[in-house]
Amino acid sequence: MTTLLHGNEPSGLRAVLRYLRSASQPTPNALFFVASVDAALASPGFTHRALPGVIDANRCWRPPFATDAGRVAEAVLSALSEAQPECLVDLHNNSGHNPAYGVAFSLGHAERSLVSLFADRVVHTPLELGTIVEATVSQFPSVTIECGRGGDPAADEVAWAGLRRFLDWEQIDFERPVQPLAVYADPIRVCVRKGVRLDFAEAAQGDVDLTISASVDRHNFETLSAGTPIGWLSPEGEWPLEAWNAAGEECSQSLFVNDDGVLRARTPRIPIMMTTNRVIAASDCLFYSVELV
Ligand SMILES: [Zn+2]
C-alpha cells in the first residue's frame, strides 16, 4: 500500500498509523510506502501537495527518473519488482467535494475487486500522467483510491475501513467486487491555460480572465446538462481553457461555450475531481470530464 504521494492528502497515512497502533496482524505480508513526508511536514502541515518548485511525486514514475522524486520512484519500483506483491493500492484525497472513488488505468476483475473494498464507483482512465499505478499495472493489479476531501473525517474513515478489508485477505475475491461498482470512462483533462488569471467566486471578478463558480465542485459526479453555467469570462480575455482527451487531442471548445461572457457546458458530461483551489487548478488541472458507462 502506498500513500501520501501528495503531502496534503493524509487519510491513507492516518489509516496506516491507526492500523499499526491497533496491533492487528495483516493476513498477507504487507509493504507500506509513505511518500512525500517533507511536503507533508512543511508548515503548517498537510497543506503542500509538493514542496514549492519540486515535481509532483505522482507524476514522475517513468524514465528518465532525473529528479529527486524520480530517483525515489525508481527505488520503490525496484523494491516492488523484488517483492512481487499480489497487488497495490495507492491512497489519496482530493481537494474538492467528491465521494470516495477508485481510479484504474487498467480495469479488470482484480482492479474492480480492489476498488470495491473502498468505494462504490471507479473511473477508468487511459490518460498517461506518470503515476505509480501506471508504472506497476502491467506487473500486478494496481489502483488508486481517492478517499474524499483531505481533512474530512469521513475520508479518513473510508481509508480506515478499506485498509482493514484490504489487510484482511479473506475479504478479497479477485473475481468479484464486494459491492456493485459504477464505472466512469472517457476522461478528458480540463486545465486552465498558462498565464490565465483565475479566481473562484459567485460572480464575475473584474481583475481576472476566468471566474469559476465557487460552488461548482458540489456537482462532482453529477451530469452537467448542456447549457449549465460554470463561470464567467472577461470580455477582453482569450479562450482560457484547454482540454485533452486520451488521444491527446485538444477539445475544450467542444465541451464548453462562451455565451456572451458566461462559460457554459456545451454537451452533457460529468465533472469529477473538480477543485476550487487556485494553486492546484493552475499547477495540475481544474477537473476531469467523464461519462457513465
Ligand atoms: Zn493525490
Side-chain angles (χ1 to χ4, degrees):
M1 201 212 94
T2 60
T3 195
L4 206 65
L5 278 159
H6 297 136
N8 59 338
E9 302 177 8
S11 287
L13 172 69
R14 289 183 180 144
V16 171
L17 292 177
R18 192 167 161 187
Y19 190 83
L20 295 177
R21 286 178 184 135
S22 76
S24 304
Q25 194 77 31
T27 318
N29 289 330
L31 269 178
F32 298 109
F33 170 52
V34 177
S36 303
V37 175
D38 286 356
L41 286 174
S43 180
F46 295 128
T47 47
H48 291 79
R49 181 181 172 91
L51 289 174
V54 172
I55 187 173
D56 185 318
N58 202 25
R59 300 286 183 270
C60 57
W61 293 79
R62 57 187 164 199
F65 302 116
T67 60
D68 285 350
R71 281 183 281 276
V72 172
E74 192 177 22
V76 170
L77 290 175
S78 131
L80 286 172
S81 290
E82 206 167 297
Q84 289 290 316
E86 277 104 332
C87 57
L88 180 144
V89 171
D90 183 31
L91 293 187
H92 289 251
N93 294 106
N94 39 47
S95 54
H97 285 94
N98 279 288
Y101 61 95
V103 183
F105 189 69
S106 151
L107 188 59
H109 289 299
E111 287 83 6
R112 285 170 194 259
S113 170
L114 287 174
V115 170
S116 74
L117 299 171
F118 293 83
D120 64 358
R121 59 193 87 200
V122 61
V123 180
H124 183 203
T125 170
L127 295 180
E128 292 184 20
L129 301 172
T131 65
I132 185 172
V133 164
E134 290 160 43
T136 51
V137 77
S138 64
Q139 300 169 59
F140 40 80
S142 181
V143 296
T144 302
I145 305 293
E146 299 280 356
C147 298
R149 194 182 174 99
D152 182 347
D156 293 348
E157 247 348 273
V158 166
W160 167 242
L163 181 66
R164 276 192 309 172
R165 285 190 209 107
F166 183 49
L167 296 179
D168 175 5
W169 201 247
E170 311 297 309
Q171 296 205 35
I172 303 184
D173 176 349
F174 279 122
E175 294 302 312
R176 240 178 308 277
V178 298
Q179 59 181 325
L181 278 185
V183 179
Y184 300 81
D186 188 24
I188 298 173
R189 185 176 156 85
V190 180
C191 308
V192 178
R193 289 176 62 185
K194 261 204 167 39
V196 167
R197 292 165 304 161
L198 170 74
D199 204 353
F200 293 92
E202 282 314 336
Q205 302 296 294
D207 54 343
V208 297
D209 306 304
L210 171 65
T211 311
I212 298 280
S213 167
S215 59
V216 80
D217 67 329
R218 305 275 168 182
H219 298 294
N220 277 322
F221 283 96
E222 284 174 20
T223 300
L224 290 183
S225 50
T228 304
I230 295 165
W232 300 268
L233 302 149
S234 86
E236 315 82 55
E238 290 176 18
W239 182 249
L241 297 174
E242 47 191 45
W244 302 95
N245 65 17
E249 296 153 347
E250 204 288 313
C251 53
S252 58
Q253 307 246 13
S254 64
L255 295 182
F256 309 102
V257 59
N258 179 355
D259 175 19
D260 206 12
V262 179
L263 182 68
R264 295 183 190 276
R266 191 190 278 275
T267 51
R269 301 264 307 180
I270 301 167
I272 62 167
M273 296 181 79
M274 191 178 280
T275 184
T276 52
N277 177 314
R278 265 193 290 185
V279 177
I280 291 171
S283 68
D284 190 40
C285 73
L286 200 51
F287 59 91
Y288 290 83
S289 171
V290 295
E291 284 181 330
L292 189 58
V293 177

